[in-house]
Amino acid sequence: MLLQTLTINPLIAIQLVAVVQTGVMAILVSTRKHTSNMTKRAGTALEFFERFGYCALGVFAVLFIDAGVGWLAGAWGYADWRYQLPSALLLVVAGTAYLLAGLLKRGSWITLVYLAAVTTTLLLFLHAWVAAEVVMGVLLETGLPIVLGVLAGAGLLVAGVETALATRQEGRKGRFTWDISPVMDRVFNRWTNLVIWALAVVQGILLFSGYSLLTFWVT
Amino acid sequence: MNESKPFTPGKRSTATHPAMRAVLLALVVSPLAIFYSVYLTDYKTKPVARTAWVSWHDDPMHAVYIGWETPTGILCSVRYGIDPGNLNMTKNEPISATFHSVNLTGLTPDTVYYYRVETPGGVYASGRFRTAPVIYAPFTCMFTADTQPKFGPGWYEHLANIVNTKDYSFLAMVGDMVEDGTKDEWNYFHTVGSKYYDTVPLVPVRGNHDRPRDLDDDEGTPDTYYFASYFPQSVDAAMNENPYDKYQQFYFSFNWSSVHFQVLHFPEVDLDDEGDGGLSLRDYHQAFTTDHLTWLEQDLNRSRAMPFRVSMFHCPITSAGFYGENYVMKEQLLPILHRYNVTATFSGHAHHFERGTLVNRTHYPDNPLTYFVVGTGGGLADVGLRPVPETTICTASPSYTEMAATATTLTFTTYGFDGTVIDTITIRA
């Protein structure tokens, strides 16, 4: 039985991973570890953008995991796995990293509601709405940017609410419902990010020419 | 609010010097930035390819044509013969041209010919080809489609390198060789094609991207129809009744060994007729013209004695790609293909590989039609796949499909670029 793999193609998705991860790396290497003498307002703004960044990464994470799992499940048995497997695995790993080290590292019930909404929206859009279209490419190409835009807007809202709550609860215990930063920062450290970035960039470049990380040296 | 307060946003770089951070930032950003900028522009700068290709209209046993392009209009000639050291026959062009096509007629079947395109400045291109056999001799050919540079050049060059290592009787390019039909895209197509043109003839099928985007010239500046310049038409222009495509229809057929091949033309409307320049259902649901369908039936009727019939047309009747099913083709074309027991069809348009079976259980239960979608020639891949009930296998990775024919069997094998066999099937006469 053929599984429907109507999701983002690994070729396109891995380019997204490469671009997003380049953005993550750019932020990691260009901002300082500790920002001293920062005003409270600047700190609040930074907190807002950080939370929004995590929300955006959360959207990409769902997209990447869906594509990775979809292609692993649907295309594994009958595809040129040497070409597609590295992309599928990278998608799952990068997506998981963005979720755990970003959105779910610390948060509140708002975070979970947002993640549930993102997941539901994207899965319904890709696997129900678009899949029901006669010419599904049209809706996919025109609708996905809109859906992503709406989710990004919701992310702005979530980031704003969480930042406001955090600012109000400054100094109090339980600023976030959970905080697993120490563990996540150890696992998904800068070296993990560097490896994901390097693999995604190389894989993204190779795919355009019909190669992959697993086939480049074979042929 | 203005009081200073330390803030720790999270794990960040330990590089504290601004210059060091700038260097790291450049190192991180530059690989993709440089790659994309070079990748997306370099292929558009190729000059006219110094190469020549071999193709034919309807009788590759006795006649082929050699096509080539020169940067300026010049008078050329073709020397050819069966002894590479003694090309004893010559065809001279009557007038100077930039787009050249010389018919070589009176050829002997199943014979290797060598040719040399000569200009006043010397040898321009050379190669060899084998004419079609009279008997049902084994042969191998290849099918691919959609080499169009949809987002950068894609992997057509990789594919061309593979073709160059093969001994195919011909390569059937089932449409969409270019994306926008611009000159630089065609230059790139032939530049890459020159890797195998000297040994593997090309059978072109016109895709929707191969004709000018502005069919009715309502944009003010008529597009140049390069496809017709490279691959001269074989159908009488007087037969053209296509109301949507003022350009001549491109269809013909030929026999090669045990197989009757059809190259069909599928018209599409001008994309900009829909107002916003986007796609619409109408673009996919244009009917075949009456003259085309009449010819199609007559041609299939004439080929009833052949063991196999293979039809090639760009848009698939159905597929797992995001174009889905084409109702008009299913209603107009498919019954004819079933009635005359066409063995297989090859299409592109959807950028993935797919094989499936179309069965008419009511009227022609004994004439199952195997269809192939071979749109993995380099124009990147579909964004997703949605297998239809007729789908047997589908995958959206780089691949190419070979057909090995004998008098009684056709074996279709699809390979990944690393040589992995993705799919194989043998059909008996």
Side-chain angles (χ1 to χ4, degrees), chain B residues 345-382:
Chain B
T345 64
F346 278 88
S347 301
H349 204 45
H351 291 191
H352 67 276
F353 165 74
E354 180 174 346
R355 174 173 63 82
T357 308
L358 291 156
V359 184
N360 186 328
R361 299 189 192 284
T362 308
H363 297 104
Y364 310 104
D366 298 327
N367 295 356
L369 173 65
T370 301
Y371 74 87
F372 291 89
V373 177
V374 290
T376 51
L380 303 190
D382 276 348

Side-chain angles (χ1 to χ4, degrees), chain A residues 82-179:
Chain A
R82 287 182 183 84
Y83 180 79
Q84 289 170 337
L85 182 62
S87 297
L89 289 179
L90 270 169
L91 284 165
V92 173
V93 170
T96 305
Y98 293 163
L99 269 188
L100 294 179
L103 194 61
L104 295 180
K105 188 164 69 176
R106 55 186 183 182
S108 63
W109 61 270
I110 301 172
T111 312
L112 292 178
V113 168
Y114 178 69
L115 181 59
V118 167
T119 306
T120 306
T121 305
L122 283 176
L123 294 188
L124 280 178
F125 176 74
L126 289 170
H127 300 287
W129 192 9
V130 172
E133 286 288 301
V134 176
V135 182
M136 55 190 180
V138 177
L139 179 59
L140 188 65
E141 290 177 357
T142 57
L144 189 58
I146 296 172
V147 170
L148 293 179
V150 170
L151 293 176
L156 280 172
L157 191 64
V158 168
V161 171
E162 285 195 325
T163 304
L165 287 175
T167 305
R168 206 167 58 187
Q169 295 171 344
E170 190 94 36
R172 292 187 207 162
K173 236 182 161 182
R175 182 181 166 192
F176 295 103
T177 309
W178 70 87
D179 189 349

Side-chain angles (χ1 to χ4, degrees), chain A residues 14-31 53-54 56-57 60 64 98 193-194 196-198 200-201, chain B residues 11-12 24-25 27-33 36:
Chain A
I14 206 67
Q15 305 302 325
L16 274 176
V17 173
V19 170
V20 171
Q21 188 63 20
T22 295
V24 169
M25 287 298 292
I27 291 171
L28 288 179
V29 302
S30 62
T31 56
Y54 289 153
L57 282 182
F60 283 118
F64 293 161
Y98 293 163
N193 276 301
L194 182 66
I196 293 174
W197 170 77
V201 167
Chain B
K11 281 280 184 186
R12 291 293 184 268
L24 288 174
L25 183 63
L27 283 174
V28 166
V29 172
S30 57
L32 272 188
Y36 286 142

